[in-house]
Amino acid sequence: MDRKAHAVGDANPMFQRFGKRRTQQILVLAGLLLVFVIIHLATGSRFLTRRNLGIIVSHAVIPTFITWGLIFSFTSGMIDLSIGAIVVLASNLAGILGLKFGYAGLIVGGLAAGVALQALNGFVFLKTKIPPWVAGLGMAMIYESIGAFYSNMAVRSGGMVVSLGSQLRSLGQLPYNVLMLVPGLIAVYILFCRTSIGLNVRAVGSDIRVTKEMGIDPNRAKFLGMLVCGLFIGLGSAINQSYVGQLLPRTGLTTVSTIFQPLTAVLIASSMAAIFNVVVGVVIGTISLSALFNALTLLGVPSGTWQEVVLGMLVIAVTIVSMRGEEGVVK
């Protein structure tokens, strides 16, 4: 009896902390919903309309796929800042193959580029042993240069960067882009929560020493995680190309800013871990961010300046919430 009482006594603080954390997260979520109701009233009842909600969810699709990819790399500590540059190259390859082979080429082109570039990144990160975020900046500059070279070559030959025009645009539009979320959610949940790939990635991110004692090769786990990351980034790139029609290359590390919204969504998902599975939390995070930017636009807040300030403040606030009770740094 004493042992049982002692065990229950040890467990109670853990359950109390978990219950307190869940209550805090429910209150935060309720507060967010209240803010959206207030915004709806402040915008003359234009925010929570059926049409506007459809736009919000539609704009969240591409960031959702990219963020799903990020949880496989970021969880294992592979913080890759070249994601934005990869999206640009993968989108353009998706467009090139799409114009030749239709929607099949669009999707295969995005997937092939996403996986290939993430595989290259994984090889560089693991072989050089350079901190991934540093190596990622270097790879971003290389990928941006490749995009710029392709653009210049296209212009010199009398053409232009691949443009879909009015072709192959359905995948990036309602309702088809939103419908893509269903198989995407199922696939990422199975891979992240029900396969050895996801288990090993989470194990590496938790404690690499224990991971080695379990017989798991950390480098192999990280590399496979980056390959899966490439799959979802590639699919997001294909949808992105279908949505924008033409994506111009960017230089000067301007593609790095692409990572901030998915990173914020990852942090939001982590901060709600006591309520939702991280895979579902990502969807809630990206939709919440899409709703936030939509609301700021309706309120007349200029994009590119004050909207970015709000995003930066949100990154700090969500990081503080997600780190509560954690020792060390967020990976």
Side-chain angles (χ1 to χ4, degrees), residues 3-300:
R3 290 182 178 179
K4 290 183 178 179
H6 183 68
V8 172
D10 290 341
N12 279 339
M14 180 183 68
F15 285 118
Q16 289 173 359
R17 287 195 299 270
F18 181 78
K20 183 179 179 180
R21 187 179 181 189
R22 172 177 287 182
T23 301
Q24 290 174 339
Q25 292 176 10
I26 291 174
L27 290 175
V28 170
L29 189 61
L32 179 64
L33 294 176
L34 178 61
V35 169
F36 285 157
V37 171
I38 294 174
I39 291 173
H40 178 67
L41 298 176
T43 56
S45 300
R46 292 182 295 158
F47 182 59
L48 296 178
T49 63
R50 181 177 179 181
R51 179 178 179 276
N52 196 53
L53 289 175
I55 293 173
I56 289 171
V57 176
S58 178
H59 287 172
V61 172
I62 296 168
T64 296
F65 276 94
I66 295 174
T67 309
W68 276 335
L70 290 189
I71 64 175
F72 285 91
S73 58
F74 274 38
T75 300
S76 64
M78 304 295 277
I79 302 176
D80 185 2
L81 298 181
S82 69
I83 298 298
I86 290 177
V87 169
V88 172
L89 291 183
S91 296
N92 277 281
L93 181 59
I96 292 171
L97 294 185
L99 291 175
K100 292 183 177 180
F101 305 107
Y103 283 105
L106 184 75
I107 295 174
V108 170
L111 290 174
V115 172
L117 295 178
Q118 276 289 284
L120 178 59
N121 280 10
F123 179 82
V124 172
F125 294 176
L126 296 172
K127 291 298 182 180
T128 62
K129 301 187 184 303
I130 298 173
W133 69 270
V134 176
L137 286 175
M139 299 305 290
M141 288 188 281
I142 292 172
Y143 295 150
E144 287 182 349
S145 297
I146 292 173
F149 178 76
Y150 157 68
S151 177
N152 291 334
M153 289 293 292
V155 172
R156 289 174 184 175
S157 63
M160 59 186 295
V161 176
V162 60
S163 175
L164 297 182
S166 60
Q167 303 180 62
L168 308 173
R169 305 303 296 275
S170 296
L171 191 64
Q173 307 293 333
L174 283 168
Y176 301 104
N177 58 349
V178 174
L179 292 176
M180 291 288 289
L181 288 176
V182 178
L185 178 64
I186 295 172
V188 73
Y189 177 80
I190 292 174
L191 286 168
F192 192 72
C193 302
R194 300 298 182 188
T195 68
S196 60
I197 293 177
L199 174 64
N200 293 348
V201 162
R202 297 199 305 275
V204 170
S206 298
D207 192 320
I208 196 167
R209 180 181 60 82
V210 174
T211 300
K212 292 179 179 179
E213 292 177 355
M214 293 170 59
I216 299 173
D217 183 347
N219 286 346
R220 183 175 185 274
K222 291 179 180 181
F223 186 76
L224 290 177
M226 293 194 72
L227 290 184
V228 177
C229 174
L231 282 174
F232 289 99
I233 291 175
L235 188 53
S237 299
I239 299 172
N240 183 59
Q241 183 66 16
S242 178
Y243 174 71
V244 300
Q246 182 183 45
L247 188 62
L248 297 176
R250 296 152 60 186
T251 57
L253 288 178
T254 54
T255 58
V256 174
S257 62
T258 306
I259 199 71
F260 296 146
Q261 186 173 345
L263 175 58
T264 308
V266 170
L267 294 173
I268 291 174
S270 300
S271 69
M272 296 189 298
I275 309 175
F276 302 106
N277 177 282
V278 65
V279 175
V280 177
V282 164
V283 180
I284 296 173
T286 53
I287 291 177
S288 297
L289 289 172
S290 177
L292 173 64
F293 288 119
N294 179 276
L296 292 174
T297 300
L298 290 176
L299 291 171

